[in-house]
Amino acid sequence: MSASTPSTADTAAPRQRAATTDAVFARLKSAAFHELVAASMAGDNEAIGTLFTWINPAIVRYCRARIGRTGSAYSSADDVAQEIMLAVLGALPRYSDDRESFLPFVYGIASHKVADYYRRSGRDRSDPVADVPDTVDHGLGPEQTMLRGEMRTRLVALLDTLAPRQREILVLRLVVGLSAQETATAIGLTATAVRVAQHRALTRLRAGLSAGDWL
């Protein structure tokens, strides 16, 4: 096998991680999740514990995508994720909306906490900070690692060309997996406005790609 041809092990690990991530986010749209929300709203402590176990990976991924790394680690993003979890816990007794609207409610809190982070750190939200969360795959060879790093750097640079609201919508729609309506509820727009903004953002990203990026 040549150095440029990925082995089965090289390609299996990313697929396994993607499947795991898909499962994590799929259950946040399930009937079981909505039942957990209802039980948590009723004050069931066991349900509350399970609810927060389920939403934690989604919140961490959102923060890492919005804030990115601090040096080589996601320490700031993970700290903000913990702030969000505490804020959601504090707001839960006052939440009285439909249980299907709980996830957009959580991301609405998350969006405000991320904005608070930028204010505290003295950084304008329009500064290039978008990042693409990933994990280290020790099964990758040097060439695959280098190519992945180059593509990730290119993607981050492209995201940095977008307006903050466009980046927010792409993160919620493509990284987190919210529907257009859920995204609209989270950020205070209509579903139509979300779809239009997403279309414009993706069009701008495509325009920034060279022919080589599609190969």
Side-chain angles (χ1 to χ4, degrees):
M1 182 178 295
S2 67
S4 60
T5 304
S7 67
T8 301
D10 290 338
T11 57
R15 285 198 301 268
Q16 290 170 351
R17 287 199 304 272
T20 299
T21 299
D22 288 345
V24 167
F25 290 101
R27 70 180 183 180
L28 297 183
K29 306 293 185 67
S30 67
F33 178 74
H34 296 150
E35 290 172 4
L36 270 178
V37 172
S40 298
M41 291 170 62
D44 184 328
N45 289 329
E46 184 176 351
I48 291 172
T50 303
L51 177 70
F52 278 79
T53 298
W54 282 24
I55 66 174
N56 184 67
I59 294 304
V60 169
R61 185 171 178 84
Y62 170 82
C63 290
R64 290 183 177 189
R66 289 294 316 280
I67 295 172
R69 289 184 171 90
T70 305
S72 61
Y74 286 110
S75 55
S76 293
D78 291 349
D79 287 345
V80 174
Q82 290 303 309
E83 290 182 22
I84 293 167
M85 297 291 283
L86 290 173
V88 173
L89 181 62
L92 184 60
R94 302 188 300 275
Y95 180 76
S96 58
D97 205 348
D98 190 272
R99 60 186 181 178
E100 282 78 11
S101 300
F102 182 73
L103 198 56
F105 166 75
V106 169
Y107 281 111
I109 292 176
S111 179
H112 284 98
K113 287 295 182 183
V114 169
D116 288 344
Y117 161 78
Y118 287 126
R119 281 193 289 269
R120 289 198 307 267
S121 60
R123 294 165 65 180
D124 191 299
R125 293 186 68 193
S126 63
D127 287 343
V129 296
D131 205 353
V132 181
D134 58 7
T135 56
V136 177
D137 185 353
H138 297 288
L140 291 180
E143 183 175 358
Q144 285 75 35
T145 300
M146 180 186 70
L147 290 174
R148 175 176 289 186
E150 290 177 351
M151 180 57 71
R152 181 178 176 280
T153 299
R154 178 64 173 144
L155 180 56
V156 170
L158 285 170
L159 288 173
D160 289 342
T161 67
L162 300 176
R165 178 54 62 87
Q166 289 179 323
R167 287 202 305 267
E168 171 84 348
I169 288 172
L170 286 190
V171 168
L172 290 175
R173 295 283 283 126
L174 304 182
V175 177
V176 175
L178 295 188
S179 68
Q181 184 57 59
E182 289 169 334
T183 301
T185 301
I187 63 178
L189 293 177
T190 65
T192 298
V194 165
R195 293 188 185 96
V196 170
Q198 180 182 348
H199 174 74
R200 290 175 177 170
L202 291 175
T203 298
R204 182 166 184 172
L205 290 182
R206 291 189 189 100
L209 290 171
S210 65
D213 292 321
W214 293 97
L215 301 178

